[in-house]
């Protein structure tokens, strides 16, 4: 059943996203096409309940950031820097399923 949805995350990132620089604590700095949002979003929590995230978020394909963790950073094209505070992993079995990171702006 997942075959129908495979490739959807990449397509959505390509249409609605932009390239950001991802700086993991361990690993290589790299550019990644993904979706950054400052508006509140709703996600399904681990217990199946809907959770409102009021912080900025970064939605990215899971396989592109397997090491994604708290305190990793992303740099937006406009020069703003954000630190990952929480990672929400999707239960989707699709190879390109999204993960959503809650972010906190880092003032330089």
């Amino acid at each position: 059943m997942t075959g129908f949805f495979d490739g959807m995350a990449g397509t959505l990132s390509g249409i609605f996203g932009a390239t950001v620089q991802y700086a993991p604590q361990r690993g290589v700095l790299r550019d990644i096409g993904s979706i950054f949002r400052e508006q509140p979003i709703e996600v399904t929590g681990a217990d199946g309940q809907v959770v409102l995230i009021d912080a900025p978020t970064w939605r990215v394909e899971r396989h592109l950031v397997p090491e994604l963790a708290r305190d990793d950073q992303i740099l937006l094209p406009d020069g703003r820097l954000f630190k990952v505070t929480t990672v929400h992993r999707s239960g989707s079995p699709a190879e390109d399923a999204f993960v959503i990171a809650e972010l906190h702006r880092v003032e330089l």
Side-chain angles (χ1 to χ4, degrees), residues 8-19:
M8 291 301 290
T11 300
L12 290 172
S13 290
I15 294 171
F16 299 111
T19 300

Side-chain angles (χ1 to χ4, degrees), residues 14-89:
I15 294 171
F16 299 111
T19 300
V20 302
Q21 268 195 332
Y22 170 54
Q25 294 176 72
R26 294 178 180 84
V28 179
L29 176 74
R30 57 196 185 267
D31 292 339
I32 296 179
S34 54
I35 300 171
F36 170 82
R37 294 202 47 176
E38 292 186 85
Q39 300 81 10
I41 65 167
E42 291 182 345
V43 299
T44 303
D47 61 358
Q49 298 293 321
V50 174
V51 176
L52 178 66
I53 299 176
D54 200 24
T57 55
W58 183 46
R59 185 181 304 244
V60 61
E61 293 176 52
R62 178 176 52 212
H63 70 94
L64 296 176
V65 291
E67 73 276 48
L68 183 62
R70 182 180 180 93
D71 293 331
D72 287 355
Q73 295 183 345
I74 66 165
L75 179 65
L76 300 182
D78 66 8
R80 291 183 293 159
L81 182 66
F82 289 84
K83 184 186 303 187
V84 174
T85 58
T86 306
V87 177
H88 299 273
R89 303 206 184 275

